[in-house]
PDB file of all heavy atoms in Angstrom:
ATOM      1  N   LYS A   1      96.415  -7.227 -71.877  1.00  0.00           N
ATOM      2  CA  LYS A   1      95.977  -7.687 -73.176  1.00  0.00           C
ATOM      3  C   LYS A   1      94.553  -7.200 -73.491  1.00  0.00           C
ATOM      4  O   LYS A   1      94.117  -7.312 -74.620  1.00  0.00           O
ATOM      5  CB  LYS A   1      96.109  -9.195 -73.292  1.00  0.00           C
ATOM      6  CG  LYS A   1      97.572  -9.637 -73.316  1.00  0.00           C
ATOM      7  CD  LYS A   1      97.750 -11.072 -73.747  1.00  0.00           C
ATOM      8  CE  LYS A   1      97.207 -12.045 -72.764  1.00  0.00           C
ATOM      9  NZ  LYS A   1      97.438 -13.455 -73.121  1.00  0.00           N
ATOM     10  N   ASP A   2      93.849  -6.712 -72.505  1.00  0.00           N
ATOM     11  CA  ASP A   2      92.544  -6.097 -72.765  1.00  0.00           C
ATOM     12  C   ASP A   2      92.687  -4.710 -73.410  1.00  0.00           C
ATOM     13  O   ASP A   2      91.728  -4.201 -73.986  1.00  0.00           O
ATOM     14  CB  ASP A   2      91.731  -5.922 -71.435  1.00  0.00           C
ATOM     15  CG  ASP A   2      91.349  -7.240 -70.814  1.00  0.00           C
ATOM     16  OD1 ASP A   2      91.321  -8.272 -71.533  1.00  0.00           O
ATOM     17  OD2 ASP A   2      91.057  -7.263 -69.618  1.00  0.00           O
ATOM     18  N   PHE A   3      93.868  -4.131 -73.316  1.00  0.00           N
ATOM     19  CA  PHE A   3      94.094  -2.791 -73.817  1.00  0.00           C
ATOM     20  C   PHE A   3      95.051  -2.728 -75.024  1.00  0.00           C
ATOM     21  O   PHE A   3      94.996  -1.794 -75.822  1.00  0.00           O
ATOM     22  CB  PHE A   3      94.667  -1.891 -72.712  1.00  0.00           C
ATOM     23  CG  PHE A   3      93.770  -1.842 -71.508  1.00  0.00           C
ATOM     24  CD1 PHE A   3      94.095  -2.564 -70.356  1.00  0.00           C
ATOM     25  CD2 PHE A   3      92.584  -1.138 -71.508  1.00  0.00           C
ATOM     26  CE1 PHE A   3      93.296  -2.519 -69.229  1.00  0.00           C
ATOM     27  CE2 PHE A   3      91.763  -1.083 -70.405  1.00  0.00           C
ATOM     28  CZ  PHE A   3      92.145  -1.792 -69.261  1.00  0.00           C
ATOM     29  N   PHE A   4      95.954  -3.696 -75.109  1.00  0.00           N
ATOM     30  CA  PHE A   4      96.951  -3.702 -76.147  1.00  0.00           C
ATOM     31  C   PHE A   4      97.093  -5.152 -76.688  1.00  0.00           C
ATOM     32  O   PHE A   4      96.863  -6.087 -75.909  1.00  0.00           O
ATOM     33  CB  PHE A   4      98.324  -3.253 -75.639  1.00  0.00           C
ATOM     34  CG  PHE A   4      98.310  -1.898 -74.983  1.00  0.00           C
ATOM     35  CD1 PHE A   4      98.365  -1.770 -73.593  1.00  0.00           C
ATOM     36  CD2 PHE A   4      98.242  -0.729 -75.742  1.00  0.00           C
ATOM     37  CE1 PHE A   4      98.326  -0.527 -72.997  1.00  0.00           C
ATOM     38  CE2 PHE A   4      98.214   0.509 -75.125  1.00  0.00           C
ATOM     39  CZ  PHE A   4      98.243   0.619 -73.755  1.00  0.00           C
ATOM     40  N   PRO A   5      97.498  -5.297 -77.946  1.00  0.00           N
ATOM     41  CA  PRO A   5      97.744  -6.669 -78.430  1.00  0.00           C
ATOM     42  C   PRO A   5      98.856  -7.339 -77.610  1.00  0.00           C
ATOM     43  O   PRO A   5      99.739  -6.643 -77.070  1.00  0.00           O
ATOM     44  CB  PRO A   5      98.197  -6.433 -79.880  1.00  0.00           C
ATOM     45  CG  PRO A   5      97.762  -5.072 -80.248  1.00  0.00           C
ATOM     46  CD  PRO A   5      97.721  -4.271 -78.973  1.00  0.00           C
ATOM     47  N   SER A   6      98.851  -8.645 -77.579  1.00  0.00           N
ATOM     48  CA  SER A   6      99.878  -9.345 -76.773  1.00  0.00           C
ATOM     49  C   SER A   6     101.271  -9.129 -77.378  1.00  0.00           C
ATOM     50  O   SER A   6     102.260  -9.166 -76.650  1.00  0.00           O
ATOM     51  CB  SER A   6      99.575 -10.833 -76.690  1.00  0.00           C
ATOM     52  OG  SER A   6      99.456 -11.397 -77.976  1.00  0.00           O
ATOM     53  N   LYS A   7     101.337  -8.896 -78.675  1.00  0.00           N
ATOM     54  CA  LYS A   7     102.638  -8.647 -79.333  1.00  0.00           C
ATOM     55  C   LYS A   7     102.432  -7.551 -80.365  1.00  0.00           C
ATOM     56  O   LYS A   7     101.530  -7.651 -81.216  1.00  0.00           O
ATOM     57  CB  LYS A   7     103.120  -9.926 -79.985  1.00  0.00           C
ATOM     58  CG  LYS A   7     104.522  -9.882 -80.525  1.00  0.00           C
ATOM     59  CD  LYS A   7     104.909 -11.256 -81.061  1.00  0.00           C
ATOM     60  CE  LYS A   7     106.319 -11.285 -81.544  1.00  0.00           C
ATOM     61  NZ  LYS A   7     106.699 -12.615 -82.039  1.00  0.00           N
ATOM     62  N   LEU A   8     103.240  -6.501 -80.279  1.00  0.00           N
ATOM     63  CA  LEU A   8     103.066  -5.335 -81.143  1.00  0.00           C
ATOM     64  C   LEU A   8     104.410  -4.779 -81.508  1.00  0.00           C
ATOM     65  O   LEU A   8     105.259  -4.594 -80.626  1.00  0.00           O
ATOM     66  CB  LEU A   8     102.226  -4.296 -80.386  1.00  0.00           C
ATOM     67  CG  LEU A   8     101.892  -3.001 -81.067  1.00  0.00           C
ATOM     68  CD1 LEU A   8     101.004  -3.229 -82.286  1.00  0.00           C
ATOM     69  CD2 LEU A   8     101.185  -2.062 -80.099  1.00  0.00           C
ATOM     70  N   GLU A   9     104.626  -4.503 -82.749  1.00  0.00           N
ATOM     71  CA  GLU A   9     105.887  -3.851 -83.166  1.00  0.00           C
ATOM     72  C   GLU A   9     105.585  -2.339 -83.255  1.00  0.00           C
ATOM     73  O   GLU A   9     104.625  -1.930 -83.890  1.00  0.00           O
ATOM     74  CB  GLU A   9     106.382  -4.364 -84.508  1.00  0.00           C
ATOM     75  CG  GLU A   9     107.754  -3.875 -84.878  1.00  0.00           C
ATOM     76  CD  GLU A   9     108.325  -4.592 -86.071  1.00  0.00           C
ATOM     77  OE1 GLU A   9     108.694  -5.779 -85.918  1.00  0.00           O
ATOM     78  OE2 GLU A   9     108.390  -3.964 -87.140  1.00  0.00           O
ATOM     79  N   LEU A  10     106.412  -1.524 -82.586  1.00  0.00           N
ATOM     80  CA  LEU A  10     106.202  -0.105 -82.558  1.00  0.00           C
ATOM     81  C   LEU A  10     107.410   0.609 -83.181  1.00  0.00           C
ATOM     82  O   LEU A  10     108.535   0.208 -82.933  1.00  0.00           O
ATOM     83  CB  LEU A  10     106.026   0.391 -81.129  1.00  0.00           C
ATOM     84  CG  LEU A  10     104.776  -0.009 -80.373  1.00  0.00           C
ATOM     85  CD1 LEU A  10     104.875   0.462 -78.921  1.00  0.00           C
ATOM     86  CD2 LEU A  10     103.558   0.570 -81.025  1.00  0.00           C
ATOM     87  N   VAL A  11     107.142   1.645 -83.935  1.00  0.00           N
ATOM     88  CA  VAL A  11     108.171   2.554 -84.423  1.00  0.00           C
ATOM     89  C   VAL A  11     107.945   3.869 -83.667  1.00  0.00           C
ATOM     90  O   VAL A  11     106.901   4.492 -83.841  1.00  0.00           O
ATOM     91  CB  VAL A  11     108.113   2.738 -85.944  1.00  0.00           C
ATOM     92  CG1 VAL A  11     109.167   3.720 -86.399  1.00  0.00           C
ATOM     93  CG2 VAL A  11     108.270   1.381 -86.623  1.00  0.00           C
ATOM     94  N   LEU A  12     108.901   4.226 -82.839  1.00  0.00           N
ATOM     95  CA  LEU A  12     108.737   5.383 -81.935  1.00  0.00           C
ATOM     96  C   LEU A  12     109.695   6.492 -82.297  1.00  0.00           C
ATOM     97  O   LEU A  12     110.897   6.274 -82.453  1.00  0.00           O
ATOM     98  CB  LEU A  12     108.981   4.927 -80.504  1.00  0.00           C
ATOM     99  CG  LEU A  12     108.151   3.749 -80.006  1.00  0.00           C
ATOM    100  CD1 LEU A  12     108.706   3.226 -78.677  1.00  0.00           C
ATOM    101  CD2 LEU A  12     106.711   4.141 -79.875  1.00  0.00           C
ATOM    102  N   ASP A  13     109.164   7.700 -82.378  1.00  0.00           N
ATOM    103  CA  ASP A  13     109.971   8.893 -82.560  1.00  0.00           C
ATOM    104  C   ASP A  13     109.878   9.735 -81.303  1.00  0.00           C
ATOM    105  O   ASP A  13     108.791   9.958 -80.782  1.00  0.00           O
ATOM    106  CB  ASP A  13     109.497   9.691 -83.766  1.00  0.00           C
ATOM    107  CG  ASP A  13     109.784   9.013 -85.082  1.00  0.00           C
ATOM    108  OD1 ASP A  13     110.836   8.381 -85.208  1.00  0.00           O
ATOM    109  OD2 ASP A  13     108.918   9.090 -85.996  1.00  0.00           O
ATOM    110  N   GLY A  14     110.998  10.159 -80.786  1.00  0.00           N
ATOM    111  CA  GLY A  14     111.002  11.042 -79.611  1.00  0.00           C
ATOM    112  C   GLY A  14     110.747  10.295 -78.304  1.00  0.00           C
ATOM    113  O   GLY A  14     110.556  10.917 -77.271  1.00  0.00           O
ATOM    114  N   ILE A  15     110.763   8.991 -78.342  1.00  0.00           N
ATOM    115  CA  ILE A  15     110.588   8.168 -77.125  1.00  0.00           C
ATOM    116  C   ILE A  15     111.970   7.598 -76.789  1.00  0.00           C
ATOM    117  O   ILE A  15     112.535   6.821 -77.541  1.00  0.00           O
ATOM    118  CB  ILE A  15     109.581   7.026 -77.388  1.00  0.00           C
ATOM    119  CG1 ILE A  15     108.261   7.533 -77.916  1.00  0.00           C
ATOM    120  CG2 ILE A  15     109.393   6.208 -76.098  1.00  0.00           C
ATOM    121  CD1 ILE A  15     107.475   8.450 -77.033  1.00  0.00           C
ATOM    122  N   HIS A  16     112.507   8.023 -75.633  1.00  0.00           N
ATOM    123  CA  HIS A  16     113.888   7.623 -75.310  1.00  0.00           C
ATOM    124  C   HIS A  16     113.975   6.782 -74.025  1.00  0.00           C
ATOM    125  O   HIS A  16     114.898   6.029 -73.879  1.00  0.00           O
ATOM    126  CB  HIS A  16     114.772   8.858 -75.172  1.00  0.00           C
ATOM    127  CG  HIS A  16     114.767   9.703 -76.413  1.00  0.00           C
ATOM    128  ND1 HIS A  16     115.426   9.335 -77.553  1.00  0.00           N
ATOM    129  CD2 HIS A  16     114.183  10.867 -76.689  1.00  0.00           C
ATOM    130  CE1 HIS A  16     115.233  10.234 -78.496  1.00  0.00           C
ATOM    131  NE2 HIS A  16     114.467  11.188 -77.978  1.00  0.00           N
ATOM    132  N   THR A  17     113.022   6.982 -73.097  1.00  0.00           N
ATOM    133  CA  THR A  17     113.089   6.272 -71.817  1.00  0.00           C
ATOM    134  C   THR A  17     111.862   5.454 -71.576  1.00  0.00           C
ATOM    135  O   THR A  17     110.853   5.601 -72.268  1.00  0.00           O
ATOM    136  CB  THR A  17     113.229   7.284 -70.658  1.00  0.00           C
ATOM    137  OG1 THR A  17     112.021   8.051 -70.573  1.00  0.00           O
ATOM    138  CG2 THR A  17     114.430   8.203 -70.802  1.00  0.00           C
ATOM    139  N   VAL A  18     111.917   4.604 -70.571  1.00  0.00           N
ATOM    140  CA  VAL A  18     110.767   3.814 -70.153  1.00  0.00           C
ATOM    141  C   VAL A  18     109.606   4.731 -69.773  1.00  0.00           C
ATOM    142  O   VAL A  18     108.459   4.479 -70.135  1.00  0.00           O
ATOM    143  CB  VAL A  18     111.133   2.848 -69.020  1.00  0.00           C
ATOM    144  CG1 VAL A  18     109.913   2.194 -68.431  1.00  0.00           C
ATOM    145  CG2 VAL A  18     112.172   1.844 -69.504  1.00  0.00           C
ATOM    146  N   SER A  19     109.910   5.823 -69.079  1.00  0.00           N
ATOM    147  CA  SER A  19     108.875   6.777 -68.714  1.00  0.00           C
ATOM    148  C   SER A  19     108.209   7.368 -69.946  1.00  0.00           C
ATOM    149  O   SER A  19     106.968   7.513 -69.979  1.00  0.00           O
ATOM    150  CB  SER A  19     109.528   7.886 -67.871  1.00  0.00           C
ATOM    151  OG  SER A  19     108.531   8.787 -67.439  1.00  0.00           O
ATOM    152  N   ASP A  20     108.977   7.699 -70.975  1.00  0.00           N
ATOM    153  CA  ASP A  20     108.416   8.212 -72.215  1.00  0.00           C
ATOM    154  C   ASP A  20     107.477   7.182 -72.840  1.00  0.00           C
ATOM    155  O   ASP A  20     106.399   7.537 -73.351  1.00  0.00           O
ATOM    156  CB  ASP A  20     109.516   8.525 -73.249  1.00  0.00           C
ATOM    157  CG  ASP A  20     110.402   9.676 -72.863  1.00  0.00           C
ATOM    158  OD1 ASP A  20     110.041  10.516 -72.025  1.00  0.00           O
ATOM    159  OD2 ASP A  20     111.525   9.728 -73.440  1.00  0.00           O
ATOM    160  N   LEU A  21     107.905   5.897 -72.816  1.00  0.00           N
ATOM    161  CA  LEU A  21     107.088   4.843 -73.379  1.00  0.00           C
ATOM    162  C   LEU A  21     105.762   4.708 -72.627  1.00  0.00           C
ATOM    163  O   LEU A  21     104.689   4.552 -73.232  1.00  0.00           O
ATOM    164  CB  LEU A  21     107.850   3.520 -73.389  1.00  0.00           C
ATOM    165  CG  LEU A  21     107.043   2.322 -73.891  1.00  0.00           C
ATOM    166  CD1 LEU A  21     106.642   2.478 -75.357  1.00  0.00           C
ATOM    167  CD2 LEU A  21     107.829   1.038 -73.679  1.00  0.00           C
ATOM    168  N   LYS A  22     105.823   4.748 -71.302  1.00  0.00           N
ATOM    169  CA  LYS A  22     104.587   4.651 -70.509  1.00  0.00           C
ATOM    170  C   LYS A  22     103.623   5.785 -70.862  1.00  0.00           C
ATOM    171  O   LYS A  22     102.417   5.553 -70.992  1.00  0.00           O
ATOM    172  CB  LYS A  22     104.893   4.636 -69.004  1.00  0.00           C
ATOM    173  CG  LYS A  22     105.453   3.357 -68.482  1.00  0.00           C
ATOM    174  CD  LYS A  22     105.637   3.491 -66.994  1.00  0.00           C
ATOM    175  CE  LYS A  22     105.995   2.157 -66.342  1.00  0.00           C
ATOM    176  NZ  LYS A  22     106.137   2.306 -64.898  1.00  0.00           N
ATOM    177  N   LEU A  23     104.127   6.970 -70.997  1.00  0.00           N
ATOM    178  CA  LEU A  23     103.287   8.112 -71.354  1.00  0.00           C
ATOM    179  C   LEU A  23     102.700   7.894 -72.775  1.00  0.00           C
ATOM    180  O   LEU A  23     101.505   8.155 -72.985  1.00  0.00           O
ATOM    181  CB  LEU A  23     104.103   9.411 -71.308  1.00  0.00           C
ATOM    182  CG  LEU A  23     103.352  10.672 -71.674  1.00  0.00           C
ATOM    183  CD1 LEU A  23     102.135  10.880 -70.745  1.00  0.00           C
ATOM    184  CD2 LEU A  23     104.266  11.871 -71.608  1.00  0.00           C
ATOM    185  N   TYR A  24     103.498   7.430 -73.685  1.00  0.00           N
ATOM    186  CA  TYR A  24     103.020   7.123 -75.048  1.00  0.00           C
ATOM    187  C   TYR A  24     101.873   6.126 -74.984  1.00  0.00           C
ATOM    188  O   TYR A  24     100.854   6.304 -75.679  1.00  0.00           O
ATOM    189  CB  TYR A  24     104.191   6.584 -75.880  1.00  0.00           C
ATOM    190  CG  TYR A  24     103.778   6.087 -77.239  1.00  0.00           C
ATOM    191  CD1 TYR A  24     103.645   6.972 -78.304  1.00  0.00           C
ATOM    192  CD2 TYR A  24     103.552   4.738 -77.437  1.00  0.00           C
ATOM    193  CE1 TYR A  24     103.257   6.487 -79.571  1.00  0.00           C
ATOM    194  CE2 TYR A  24     103.179   4.242 -78.668  1.00  0.00           C
ATOM    195  CZ  TYR A  24     103.028   5.116 -79.731  1.00  0.00           C
ATOM    196  OH  TYR A  24     102.652   4.657 -80.968  1.00  0.00           O
ATOM    197  N   LEU A  25     102.043   5.049 -74.207  1.00  0.00           N
ATOM    198  CA  LEU A  25     101.018   4.043 -74.130  1.00  0.00           C
ATOM    199  C   LEU A  25      99.748   4.548 -73.448  1.00  0.00           C
ATOM    200  O   LEU A  25      98.651   4.181 -73.822  1.00  0.00           O
ATOM    201  CB  LEU A  25     101.570   2.796 -73.391  1.00  0.00           C
ATOM    202  CG  LEU A  25     102.691   2.045 -74.123  1.00  0.00           C
ATOM    203  CD1 LEU A  25     103.280   0.970 -73.229  1.00  0.00           C
ATOM    204  CD2 LEU A  25     102.169   1.468 -75.437  1.00  0.00           C
ATOM    205  N   ARG A  26      99.909   5.404 -72.414  1.00  0.00           N
ATOM    206  CA  ARG A  26      98.722   6.017 -71.779  1.00  0.00           C
ATOM    207  C   ARG A  26      97.982   6.863 -72.785  1.00  0.00           C
ATOM    208  O   ARG A  26      96.741   6.872 -72.766  1.00  0.00           O
ATOM    209  CB  ARG A  26      99.155   6.862 -70.595  1.00  0.00           C
ATOM    210  CG  ARG A  26      99.574   6.081 -69.398  1.00  0.00           C
ATOM    211  CD  ARG A  26      99.894   6.996 -68.229  1.00  0.00           C
ATOM    212  NE  ARG A  26     100.849   6.315 -67.386  1.00  0.00           N
ATOM    213  CZ  ARG A  26     101.885   6.883 -66.803  1.00  0.00           C
ATOM    214  NH1 ARG A  26     102.105   8.167 -66.933  1.00  0.00           N
ATOM    215  NH2 ARG A  26     102.698   6.173 -66.061  1.00  0.00           N
ATOM    216  N   ASN A  27      98.671   7.586 -73.625  1.00  0.00           N
ATOM    217  CA  ASN A  27      98.011   8.416 -74.628  1.00  0.00           C
ATOM    218  C   ASN A  27      97.362   7.532 -75.724  1.00  0.00           C
ATOM    219  O   ASN A  27      96.330   7.903 -76.243  1.00  0.00           O
ATOM    220  CB  ASN A  27      98.991   9.395 -75.257  1.00  0.00           C
ATOM    221  CG  ASN A  27      99.416  10.495 -74.342  1.00  0.00           C
ATOM    222  OD1 ASN A  27      98.655  10.867 -73.439  1.00  0.00           O
ATOM    223  ND2 ASN A  27     100.612  10.986 -74.488  1.00  0.00           N
ATOM    224  N   LEU A  28      97.989   6.416 -76.026  1.00  0.00           N
ATOM    225  CA  LEU A  28      97.446   5.492 -77.015  1.00  0.00           C
ATOM    226  C   LEU A  28      96.147   4.872 -76.526  1.00  0.00           C
ATOM    227  O   LEU A  28      95.209   4.709 -77.317  1.00  0.00           O
ATOM    228  CB  LEU A  28      98.486   4.417 -77.301  1.00  0.00           C
ATOM    229  CG  LEU A  28      98.277   3.480 -78.479  1.00  0.00           C
ATOM    230  CD1 LEU A  28      98.256   4.283 -79.776  1.00  0.00           C
ATOM    231  CD2 LEU A  28      99.362   2.439 -78.550  1.00  0.00           C
ATOM    232  N   ASN A  29      96.082   4.529 -75.230  1.00  0.00           N
ATOM    233  CA  ASN A  29      94.871   3.951 -74.659  1.00  0.00           C
ATOM    234  C   ASN A  29      94.732   4.434 -73.219  1.00  0.00           C
ATOM    235  O   ASN A  29      95.201   3.791 -72.285  1.00  0.00           O
ATOM    236  CB  ASN A  29      94.912   2.430 -74.711  1.00  0.00           C
ATOM    237  CG  ASN A  29      93.542   1.827 -74.368  1.00  0.00           C
ATOM    238  OD1 ASN A  29      92.750   2.426 -73.674  1.00  0.00           O
ATOM    239  ND2 ASN A  29      93.314   0.625 -74.851  1.00  0.00           N
ATOM    240  N   PRO A  30      94.051   5.579 -73.026  1.00  0.00           N
ATOM    241  CA  PRO A  30      93.923   6.164 -71.685  1.00  0.00           C
ATOM    242  C   PRO A  30      93.282   5.240 -70.658  1.00  0.00           C
ATOM    243  O   PRO A  30      93.546   5.359 -69.465  1.00  0.00           O
ATOM    244  CB  PRO A  30      93.047   7.400 -71.915  1.00  0.00           C
ATOM    245  CG  PRO A  30      93.258   7.749 -73.340  1.00  0.00           C
ATOM    246  CD  PRO A  30      93.468   6.417 -74.054  1.00  0.00           C
ATOM    247  N   GLU A  31      92.456   4.270 -71.108  1.00  0.00           N
ATOM    248  CA  GLU A  31      91.821   3.348 -70.177  1.00  0.00           C
ATOM    249  C   GLU A  31      92.842   2.419 -69.476  1.00  0.00           C
ATOM    250  O   GLU A  31      92.552   1.859 -68.443  1.00  0.00           O
ATOM    251  CB  GLU A  31      90.788   2.514 -70.881  1.00  0.00           C
ATOM    252  CG  GLU A  31      89.592   3.337 -71.359  1.00  0.00           C
ATOM    253  CD  GLU A  31      88.563   2.509 -72.095  1.00  0.00           C
ATOM    254  OE1 GLU A  31      88.683   1.288 -72.157  1.00  0.00           O
ATOM    255  OE2 GLU A  31      87.636   3.120 -72.653  1.00  0.00           O
ATOM    256  N   ALA A  32      94.041   2.310 -70.018  1.00  0.00           N
ATOM    257  CA  ALA A  32      95.084   1.473 -69.441  1.00  0.00           C
ATOM    258  C   ALA A  32      95.948   2.201 -68.413  1.00  0.00           C
ATOM    259  O   ALA A  32      96.813   1.603 -67.802  1.00  0.00           O
ATOM    260  CB  ALA A  32      95.972   0.910 -70.565  1.00  0.00           C
ATOM    261  N   THR A  33      95.687   3.497 -68.194  1.00  0.00           N
ATOM    262  CA  THR A  33      96.544   4.326 -67.373  1.00  0.00           C
ATOM    263  C   THR A  33      96.775   3.739 -65.966  1.00  0.00           C
ATOM    264  O   THR A  33      97.927   3.611 -65.531  1.00  0.00           O
ATOM    265  CB  THR A  33      95.975   5.737 -67.222  1.00  0.00           C
ATOM    266  OG1 THR A  33      95.988   6.352 -68.523  1.00  0.00           O
ATOM    267  CG2 THR A  33      96.780   6.609 -66.263  1.00  0.00           C
ATOM    268  N   ASN A  34      95.729   3.376 -65.270  1.00  0.00           N
ATOM    269  CA  ASN A  34      95.909   2.866 -63.871  1.00  0.00           C
ATOM    270  C   ASN A  34      96.743   1.587 -63.847  1.00  0.00           C
ATOM    271  O   ASN A  34      97.591   1.421 -62.980  1.00  0.00           O
ATOM    272  CB  ASN A  34      94.556   2.634 -63.220  1.00  0.00           C
ATOM    273  CG  ASN A  34      93.871   3.957 -62.916  1.00  0.00           C
ATOM    274  OD1 ASN A  34      94.528   4.986 -62.759  1.00  0.00           O
ATOM    275  ND2 ASN A  34      92.563   3.932 -62.825  1.00  0.00           N
ATOM    276  N   LEU A  35      96.510   0.699 -64.791  1.00  0.00           N
ATOM    277  CA  LEU A  35      97.276  -0.547 -64.824  1.00  0.00           C
ATOM    278  C   LEU A  35      98.726  -0.301 -65.225  1.00  0.00           C
ATOM    279  O   LEU A  35      99.632  -0.924 -64.666  1.00  0.00           O
ATOM    280  CB  LEU A  35      96.600  -1.539 -65.778  1.00  0.00           C
ATOM    281  CG  LEU A  35      97.019  -2.972 -65.707  1.00  0.00           C
ATOM    282  CD1 LEU A  35      96.958  -3.516 -64.278  1.00  0.00           C
ATOM    283  CD2 LEU A  35      96.169  -3.839 -66.616  1.00  0.00           C
ATOM    284  N   LEU A  36      98.960   0.607 -66.141  1.00  0.00           N
ATOM    285  CA  LEU A  36     100.337   0.942 -66.509  1.00  0.00           C
ATOM    286  C   LEU A  36     101.107   1.515 -65.365  1.00  0.00           C
ATOM    287  O   LEU A  36     102.323   1.264 -65.220  1.00  0.00           O
ATOM    288  CB  LEU A  36     100.344   1.915 -67.708  1.00  0.00           C
ATOM    289  CG  LEU A  36      99.975   1.317 -69.050  1.00  0.00           C
ATOM    290  CD1 LEU A  36      99.692   2.410 -70.061  1.00  0.00           C
ATOM    291  CD2 LEU A  36     101.056   0.381 -69.531  1.00  0.00           C
ATOM    292  N   LYS A  37     100.455   2.310 -64.533  1.00  0.00           N
ATOM    293  CA  LYS A  37     101.123   2.911 -63.382  1.00  0.00           C
ATOM    294  C   LYS A  37     101.697   1.898 -62.409  1.00  0.00           C
ATOM    295  O   LYS A  37     102.702   2.153 -61.761  1.00  0.00           O
ATOM    296  CB  LYS A  37     100.157   3.842 -62.626  1.00  0.00           C
ATOM    297  CG  LYS A  37      99.862   5.149 -63.296  1.00  0.00           C
ATOM    298  CD  LYS A  37      98.898   5.961 -62.444  1.00  0.00           C
ATOM    299  CE  LYS A  37      98.513   7.228 -63.140  1.00  0.00           C
ATOM    300  NZ  LYS A  37      97.546   8.011 -62.338  1.00  0.00           N
ATOM    301  N   ILE A  38     101.066   0.747 -62.279  1.00  0.00           N
ATOM    302  CA  ILE A  38     101.514  -0.260 -61.319  1.00  0.00           C
ATOM    303  C   ILE A  38     102.219  -1.442 -61.945  1.00  0.00           C
ATOM    304  O   ILE A  38     102.587  -2.404 -61.261  1.00  0.00           O
ATOM    305  CB  ILE A  38     100.326  -0.756 -60.456  1.00  0.00           C
ATOM    306  CG1 ILE A  38      99.220  -1.361 -61.314  1.00  0.00           C
ATOM    307  CG2 ILE A  38      99.801   0.385 -59.595  1.00  0.00           C
ATOM    308  CD1 ILE A  38      98.099  -1.996 -60.544  1.00  0.00           C
ATOM    309  N   SER A  39     102.467  -1.373 -63.268  1.00  0.00           N
ATOM    310  CA  SER A  39     103.103  -2.464 -63.985  1.00  0.00           C
ATOM    311  C   SER A  39     104.631  -2.300 -63.988  1.00  0.00           C
ATOM    312  O   SER A  39     105.137  -1.158 -63.925  1.00  0.00           O
ATOM    313  CB  SER A  39     102.631  -2.536 -65.429  1.00  0.00           C
ATOM    314  OG  SER A  39     101.262  -2.878 -65.464  1.00  0.00           O
TER     315      SER A  39
END
């Protein structure tokens, strides 16, 4: 929640898998990368 809102509605194009979503979120906020890797 330090990097993203606790609740967020996303409209995603070209995102099909969980892996794609993680990459999208890392690009959205690169500071969250390490935490996303272990979540």
Side-chain angles (χ1 to χ4, degrees):
K1 291 194 291 184
D2 293 340
F3 304 104
F4 305 104
S6 58
K7 188 175 184 180
L8 180 65
E9 189 169 288
L10 293 174
V11 177
L12 306 169
D13 290 322
I15 307 296
H16 302 287
T17 66
V18 171
S19 182
D20 293 340
L21 177 63
K22 284 183 170 181
L23 180 59
Y24 172 84
L25 294 172
R26 286 184 207 139
N27 290 331
L28 191 62
N29 191 335
E31 293 179 7
T33 295
N34 289 335
L35 195 52
L36 287 166
K37 285 181 184 178
I38 59 174
S39 295

